[in-house]
Amino acid sequence: MPDYAAILKEIAEVVRPLTAEGKVADYIPELARFSRDKFGMALYTTDGQMYTVGDAGERFSIQSISKVFTLVMTIRLVGEALFSRVGKEPSGNPFNSLVQLEYEKGIPRNPFINAGALVVTDELLSHTPDAMGDVLDFVRKISGSPTVQYDLAVAASERSNGFTNAALANFLKANHNLKNGVEEVLEAYFYHCSLAMSCEDLARAFQFLANHGVMEQGGPRLLSESQAKRLNAIMLSCGFYDEAGEFAFRVGLPGKSGVGGGIAAVLPGKWSVAVWSPAINRQGNSVAGMKALELLTTLTGESIF
Ligand code: DON
């Protein structure tokens, strides 16, 4: 078995200078409060060992990583029927692209671009009376942390500046691919994107995707083996938007990024991992985070390929 503790330490040393590259997201003004100097990483093995380095215990805004949680909850409720409303092909376009949605007549390419995540949130709202309470309960359960919370300042900040998401939601509604009200869907979406979690929380929360659908060894099953495989397939092909190919090429793991600078990824059968560094590249993915995961698969010799 690789010496994960030593490898994480080495990664942190190599990657620290990269925290100076990229830009901390400020299109959601409240995200700009996070210092670009932060770097944290947590690796959680399927036999229950946690390895951490740097700011792995500090909570940050997980943003689009939350789309994995809402997708899992929705698949648990409605199964494959969801895919009549949203595709499963890589977008090759930015996460908030309006043009692609128009070309494709209101059926988003995949559940991880913003339009697709809005459809997933809409489906979730249609099946749960208290969707946002349920999302919080679910995330607290799978992360093993009862103190995980929404960051209301981040949610409010996105609400006052979320004009592109409002445009996407309105276009979905105009194309009859939104069942609930535009405002209701946007509100729920901004809330789940605002979830504040640490790398340790995320590494635990993603464990079931490394464990073929089971939360921990001997724990509850959240997805069937086939559903877990499919979730990982969507993360591999769509988790990094127009940089999904680059991430697969450099890292070789299914994963999901957020504009808060977090990335969570899994190696099925072995471990889940989360990394955080706030400065992101043009595609919305953490610069230091991507390098850290590239080094992880290089130094351990472990990836899905
Ligand atoms: O909708 C947005 O723009 C944000 N709440 C989430 C975007 C995001 O995290 C994209 N990921 N890299």
Side-chain angles (χ1 to χ4, degrees):
M1 196 178 82
D3 184 346
Y4 294 120
I7 288 173
L8 258 56
K9 193 164 168 275
E10 183 179 347
I11 292 172
E13 277 160 20
V14 176
V15 154
R16 278 250 176 235
L18 283 181
T19 58
E21 293 181 19
K23 194 170 174 294
V24 178
D26 58 5
Y27 76 98
I28 301 171
E30 198 63 24
L31 292 183
R33 76 169 195 248
F34 290 95
S35 157
R36 65 181 310 128
D37 302 333
K38 299 285 179 184
F39 174 81
M41 190 165 183
L43 183 142
Y44 190 47
T45 61
T46 49
D47 57 6
Q49 299 297 310
M50 179 71 85
Y51 300 89
T52 64
V53 71
D55 305 304
E58 191 169 327
R59 290 193 167 142
F60 58 92
S61 191
I62 70 162
Q63 292 297 320
S64 285
I65 300 173
S66 66
K67 294 169 181 173
V68 176
F69 303 139
T70 47
L71 178 60
V72 168
M73 289 178 71
T74 306
I75 285 183
R76 277 160 61 84
L77 288 165
V78 303
E80 305 271 308
L82 175 70
F83 294 107
S84 62
R85 302 183 59 192
V86 58
K88 37 184 141 49
E89 293 296 338
S91 66
N93 267 304
F95 61 84
N96 54 5
S97 174
L98 285 157
V99 276
Q100 189 167 50
L101 191 60
E102 181 166 18
Y103 275 127
E104 298 183 348
K105 307 211 167 12
I107 304 291
R109 265 290 170 102
N110 68 62
F112 291 151
I113 53 173
N114 288 7
L118 288 164
V119 166
V120 172
T121 302
D122 178 55
E123 190 68 32
L124 191 60
L125 283 171
S126 298
H127 289 88
T128 50
D130 176 21
M132 287 308 97
D134 289 357
V135 168
L136 199 53
D137 287 348
F138 181 71
V139 172
R140 284 175 171 175
K141 179 173 116 181
I142 62 175
S143 64
S145 176
T147 59
V148 168
Q149 260 303 355
Y150 295 119
D151 183 330
L152 301 184
V154 170
S157 178
E158 185 164 16
R159 188 187 309 114
S160 356
N161 294 275
F163 305 112
T164 307
N165 283 322
L168 291 167
N170 278 289
F171 193 79
L172 289 165
K173 189 75 178 172
N175 282 268
H176 312 289
N177 199 9
L178 216 59
K179 298 175 187 167
N180 297 279
V182 165
E183 289 308 321
E184 197 188 339
V185 175
L186 285 170
E187 184 74 2
Y189 172 82
F190 296 147
Y191 260 80
H192 73 66
C193 285
S194 83
L195 278 167
M197 296 175 77
S198 66
C199 291
E200 283 183 61
D201 295 331
L202 280 172
R204 282 186 208 278
F206 270 68
Q207 179 76 172
F208 73 99
L209 290 169
N211 216 10
H212 308 293
V214 175
M215 225 173 93
E216 67 226 18
Q217 277 174 12
R221 176 169 287 286
L222 300 177
L223 292 178
S224 70
E225 266 192 57
S226 160
Q227 287 171 327
K229 184 212 77 179
R230 290 178 171 185
L231 238 298
N232 286 340
I234 299 175
M235 290 205 293
L236 184 73
S237 55
C238 313
F240 300 85
Y241 314 109
D242 41 344
E243 213 173 25
E246 178 78 6
F247 191 84
F249 182 84
R250 281 175 48 192
V251 178
L253 297 173
K256 184 74 205 79
S257 63
V259 288
I263 302 176
V266 294
L267 178 58
K270 290 237 160 111
W271 39 255
S272 43
V273 65
V275 62
W276 171 52
S277 188
I280 56 175
N281 63 16
R282 213 168 26 83
Q283 290 87 354
N285 303 319
S286 172
V287 177
M290 274 185 71
K291 186 65 188 177
L293 292 173
E294 180 182 352
L295 285 169
L296 178 66
T297 52
T298 304
L299 295 173
T300 57
E302 296 179 326
S303 83
I304 63 164
F305 297 110

